[in-house]
Amino acid sequence: MKGVHGKLLEVDLTHGTTRELPIPEEHFRRYLGGRGLGARLLYDMLPAETDPMSPDNLLIFLTGPLTGSMATGSSKFVVITKSPVTHAWCDAYSSGRIAVQLKKAGYDGMVIRGRANHPCYLRIHERGADIRDAGHLWGKDSFATEAALREADDDPALGVSSIGPAGEKLVKIACINSDLYRQAGRGGVGAVMGSKRLKAIVIAGGHDAPLHDRKQVFGLNKENYQRALVSPVAQARMKYGTPLTLNITNTGGILPTKNFQFSTWEKALEKIDSVGVHRSVQKNVSCLSCFIHCGLITEAAEGKYKGVTVEGPEYETLGLFGSNLLIDSLPTIIQANVLCDMLGLDTISAGNIIGFLMECCERGLISSSKADGFDVRFGDDEGALAAIEMMAHRRGFGDILAAGVRAAAQHIGEGSDRFAMQVKGLEFPAYDPRGAFGSGLSYAVSPRGACHRRAWPPAKEILGNYPPYTAEGKAEMVCELYDVNCVLHSLLVCDMPGKFIPLSMEDYAKYLHAVTGESFSMDDFAEIAGRIETLIRLFNVREGFGRKDDTLPHRTLFEPLPDGPGKGQCIGEANLDRMLDEYYACRGWDSNGAPTKATLTKYDLAEDVANR
Amino acid sequence: MRVIVNTFGADIKLRQEIVLEPASASLRDVLSALREQYRAPLERFLNDDLSPREGAAVLVNGRNMWSLDKFATTIHEGDELTFTVMVAGG
């Protein structure tokens, strides 16, 4: 098969060795790459019940078959591991030059195991990899680390991924940073990297993987670019980026406000929404291999943080550091974004946890002595920024928060778990499911915990014709959305351009044929998605997860929304149960969410269970 | 009748107050009256028959018209109409 190399780089940091691992070509046909290949690898290579912070855990970086081909949106990579915050499957996606450079170095991915004796970084090239001393980098933030590594290598195309102090200190919401402002954010992948004492990965490849028909790839890009030029959705996205989503979620009543107590926030308008952010935009930027330049470089225009620059803030950061904390200062949110990026924290989890902390403080659940005198209330800009630093450095009460919102609620007690907004331990992204019940199902069944990437039900429930406040029809809808993104995340293309241009799955099949020379039908894609989601489910079942874990916080289930279009709505146990039953049936899983024998046979996975 | 209009597209306009005299309070008649005096900004969102163009949506107080009573949805004084492109994700 063209477009892939058929091999992985395996790095053993305990023994300081590297070797190549072949990938059977059949894996690409059955799992494509990215998420799918990662499911196969993690299931096969990671023993059950491995401690996520132990040297035995695997940190897997993967590309997809389209990576490096210049197909639209194809400079993505995924980091796959067992999450230290959920103890379940974890896949965290990011853009970055590292994706293309890894492919150019001759690998489809790398599997990192073990733990180095001393801080180290990997320097990968076409001949393999060197494990180098990173003593001079340990303690530096992600920006400084990347700058130092780029200066040392003097190659502008270099791919660099690194962790900040949060990853070094094993903060369970730590991310992996690439190209300064791009993060593999969710699930604590940065903490796993830190547990291996791996500060950074630097890659400079040499040659593209051979493509089946490069001219056809460029022809498809040209055709799709012409479509984007006349697409109102693409035009809006190119101008306003993801902050436009805040106007939709605020209008539709799913914007997290005051730790998900409310669903709309009037004060967000023209301050931290698309209009407000647009006033601070310096320029638009693109990922490699993408003509939808939806990245925004913004600069704080006033106040204490005047002049601070970031790529972002993206919608999730605006929602969780803005309305969720009742902060309407864009400069403060820009500063929060920069701090999280530098220190290596996921902005979604960080904003969510600080919202939880603010509610605990306002309810008087944290005594001054328990929190070392720290008290932070909604709307407290400086308090929120201080909490970021406390978490990243595990200072004072930040050490409790660094374990994630579920663990923090367990520590605090007093019924605070009722408003700890998480699933399986992973903090909610910036959508309140009470205003779109399908989002609740999507969060509940997500194998990595509350996830906005596997499906985006607001497209159907706010912008589409699905009634939002009912369980009816949601299982099938979520299953279909999951399957589309499963294929995109296995090809490892950004799921955004496909929705703006728009591109159909047939369009992606054309790209895949142009790159690999292999033909995939829509039935093939459906079967592959079903196989991948079932194999990931098998991984989690093996780790002890089941229906009991596919649930939602008390607030989402039982506290009616006090405002917005969904005023009076909450999901309720009966609706969740119905959606779970129907979702499991769509997947061919039993009532506890375990894949049935018939389903395992359908996807040729029966042997995986028999062999365990 | 006074309505509040938002347009979310390549140009964003928030909370515009518009006074109309629709033939009835149905969404169809309100859209028809609105387009009479607000034609250019709505061009990219509505087809000739007032249905949303492909890739666009019409929300009434944050709810998609298709999940309400469609064109028969009753519009009240002060209701918010949002015309938006189908943004996806954050």
Side-chain angles (χ1 to χ4, degrees):
Chain A
M1 181 186 284
K2 297 282 180 62
V4 297
H5 297 288
K7 64 181 180 182
L8 300 165
L9 175 69
E10 186 183 50
V11 180
D12 184 335
L13 293 172
T14 301
H15 299 99
T17 57
T18 65
R19 64 171 179 157
E20 290 183 357
L21 291 179
I23 308 170
E25 186 163 317
E26 187 62 16
H27 278 6
F28 292 106
R29 280 212 64 87
R30 287 159 57 87
Y31 301 99
L32 296 176
R35 181 193 295 179
L37 181 59
R40 185 70 271 168
L41 295 172
L42 200 69
Y43 192 87
D44 288 346
M45 298 174 75
L46 189 74
E49 299 179 9
T50 299
D51 176 354
M53 294 299 221
S54 76
D56 295 334
N57 196 9
L58 302 174
L59 188 66
I60 304 175
F61 287 69
L62 289 170
T63 65
L66 301 186
T67 309
S69 70
M70 291 298 287
T72 306
S74 62
S75 68
K76 306 288 286 190
F77 65 96
V78 61
V79 184
I80 286 168
T81 191
K82 181 176 173 182
S83 164
V85 73
T86 67
H87 285 239
W89 159 271
C90 177
D91 47 349
Y93 299 84
S94 180
S95 292
R97 279 173 275 195
I98 191 172
V100 173
Q101 290 300 328
L102 184 58
K103 201 74 170 280
K104 281 175 175 282
Y107 302 104
D108 298 304
M110 55 186 160
V111 178
I112 301 166
R113 61 169 75 244
R115 175 181 294 155
N117 286 329
H118 303 287
C120 66
Y121 75 96
L122 284 177
R123 174 65 169 84
I124 297 172
H125 40 73
E126 285 184 290
R127 301 171 307 283
D130 305 324
I131 303 170
R132 298 182 179 176
D133 179 66
H136 62 299
L137 300 171
W138 204 252
K140 285 186 187 296
D141 67 57
S142 289
F143 291 3
T145 300
E146 185 169 331
L149 290 167
R150 289 195 181 284
E151 192 178 333
D153 233 285
D154 198 26
D155 179 347
L158 206 66
V160 180
S161 293
S162 66
I163 57 169
E168 295 175 11
K169 292 183 167 65
L170 312 183
V171 172
K172 291 184 178 175
I173 60 165
C175 63
I176 297 173
N177 245 56
S178 301
D179 298 353
L180 300 182
Y181 302 119
R182 294 284 168 172
Q183 286 76 34
R186 309 241 61 203
V189 291
V192 175
M193 191 156 153
S195 76
K196 298 187 175 305
R197 299 200 180 100
L198 179 61
K199 178 66 178 173
I201 299 166
V202 180
I203 311 179
H207 298 91
D208 292 326
L211 303 189
H212 170 67
D213 187 345
R214 190 176 295 274
K215 269 189 179 173
Q216 193 190 353
V217 175
F218 288 162
L220 290 168
N221 279 348
K222 190 175 174 185
E223 182 184 313
N224 294 329
Y225 179 63
Q226 296 300 327
R227 288 161 69 179
L229 288 179
V230 295
S231 159
V233 190
Q235 294 302 307
R237 188 59 171 240
M238 287 191 226
K239 183 171 178 182
Y240 292 107
T242 59
L244 181 54
T245 298
L246 194 144
N247 293 92
I248 298 295
T249 56
N250 196 31
T251 302
I254 56 171
L255 177 67
T257 302
K258 207 176 181 186
N259 193 35
F260 290 84
Q261 292 181 64
F262 300 90
S263 66
T264 63
W265 198 37
E266 182 80 15
K267 287 182 77 175
L269 296 179
E270 300 198 39
K271 290 185 174 177
I272 61 167
D273 65 349
S274 57
V275 177
V277 172
H278 190 65
R279 288 195 200 107
S280 292
V281 171
Q282 302 299 304
K283 63 176 179 178
N284 288 63
V285 290
S286 263
C287 295
L288 278 176
S289 313
C290 188
F291 49 73
I292 304 283
H293 43 81
C294 66
L296 308 174
I297 301 289
T298 59
E299 182 180 313
E302 59 192 13
K304 188 174 175 182
Y305 304 107
K306 184 176 179 180
V308 174
T309 300
V310 73
E311 183 182 340
E314 303 289 356
Y315 165 71
E316 303 294 337
T317 308
L318 291 163
L320 286 155
F321 272 100
S323 53
N324 199 48
L325 307 186
L326 299 190
I327 289 175
D328 63 0
S329 160
L330 184 61
T332 300
I333 297 172
I334 289 174
Q335 173 67 7
N337 199 154
V338 167
L339 266 183
C340 285
D341 290 356
M342 290 174 69
L343 298 172
L345 289 179
D346 172 25
T347 59
I348 294 177
S349 288
N352 180 308
I353 292 168
I354 295 169
F356 167 78
L357 175 66
M358 288 173 166
E359 185 165 351
C360 285
C361 288
E362 292 207 345
R363 287 175 181 269
L365 302 184
I366 305 177
S367 65
S368 188
S369 58
K370 208 170 185 179
D372 305 316
F374 189 71
D375 188 357
V376 60
R377 306 297 172 109
F378 288 106
D380 178 354
D381 297 40
E382 293 304 315
L385 296 174
I388 292 172
E389 301 227 32
M390 288 168 62
M391 271 193 285
H393 294 291
R394 288 186 173 271
R395 282 190 202 125
F397 199 67
D399 189 46
I400 303 299
L401 304 174
V405 78
R406 179 173 63 180
Q410 284 166 353
H411 178 87
I412 292 164
E414 309 280 353
S416 60
D417 59 312
R418 294 155 74 98
F419 54 86
M421 306 307 287
Q422 52 82 26
V423 170
K424 300 184 180 79
L426 189 69
E427 293 77 16
F428 269 28
Y431 312 92
D432 191 323
R434 290 174 294 180
F437 286 10
S439 290
L441 175 63
S442 185
Y443 285 1
V445 297
S446 163
R448 75 171 188 180
C451 172
H452 64 296
R453 297 296 311 281
R454 307 189 115 70
W456 204 71
K460 303 289 187 184
E461 297 179 289
I462 304 295
L463 299 174
N465 60 359
Y466 281 72
Y469 316 121
T470 173
E472 188 173 355
K474 298 302 167 64
E476 195 176 343
M477 178 263 283
V478 167
C479 199
E480 285 175 8
L481 292 174
Y482 259 54
D483 283 357
V484 168
N485 277 9
C486 179
V487 170
L488 298 182
H489 293 164
S490 298
L491 295 174
L492 262 180
V493 289
C494 181
D495 47 81
M496 297 296 179
K499 295 179 175 76
F500 309 146
I501 294 172
L503 298 178
S504 65
M505 296 311 286
E506 284 85 354
D507 290 315
Y508 284 107
K510 287 181 192 171
Y511 270 125
L512 192 53
H513 180 264
V515 171
T516 66
E518 301 279 329
S519 296
F520 288 81
S521 67
M522 296 307 101
D523 285 346
D524 291 334
F525 279 161
E527 183 180 328
I528 288 168
R531 178 180 296 119
I532 293 167
E533 293 303 324
T534 297
L535 183 54
I536 293 172
R537 186 74 183 188
L538 274 183
F539 178 89
N540 276 358
V541 167
R542 194 172 70 184
E543 297 292 335
F545 287 82
R547 185 181 185 117
K548 68 184 189 313
D549 305 291
D550 293 343
T551 189
L552 294 163
H554 182 277
R555 172 160 290 164
T556 311
L557 288 175
F558 302 115
E559 289 184 25
L561 273 174
D563 68 332
K567 185 175 180 179
Q569 298 291 338
C570 57
I571 290 182
E573 279 180 310
N575 281 319
L576 179 61
D577 277 339
R578 176 180 170 182
M579 291 192 289
L580 288 179
D581 284 339
E582 293 176 1
Y583 182 81
Y584 295 159
C586 282
R587 286 272 173 232
W589 301 347
D590 67 18
S591 60
N592 192 36
T596 64
K597 280 184 181 174
T599 300
L600 296 174
T601 302
K602 175 182 173 186
Y603 295 129
D604 301 323
L605 296 172
E607 273 188 26
D608 291 302
V609 175
N611 292 340
R612 295 284 166 180
Chain B
M1 173 188 280
R2 181 183 59 91
V3 293
I4 311 296
V5 174
N6 300 313
T7 52
F8 302 156
D11 286 308
I12 293 177
K13 303 281 185 198
L14 301 175
R15 300 286 169 92
Q16 302 157 93
E17 283 196 22
I18 296 184
V19 177
L20 305 166
E21 291 185 9
S24 78
S26 73
L27 177 61
R28 182 183 298 282
D29 285 338
V30 170
L31 288 178
S32 181
L34 190 59
R35 195 169 60 176
E36 281 303 306
Q37 63 184 83
Y38 206 53
R39 182 168 289 274
L42 296 187
E43 188 72 21
R44 71 192 62 172
F45 299 105
L46 298 178
N47 292 310
D48 290 344
D49 66 357
L50 299 175
S51 62
R53 286 189 186 278
E54 190 178 345
V58 176
L59 311 183
V60 178
N61 296 325
R63 296 282 308 276
N64 194 296
M65 61 175 279
W66 297 127
S67 68
L68 296 169
D69 289 333
K70 305 179 178 61
F71 285 111
T73 302
T74 302
I75 305 301
H76 302 92
E77 175 76 14
D79 276 356
E80 184 180 72
L81 299 177
T82 299
F83 301 85
T84 181
V85 295
M86 303 282 278
V87 299

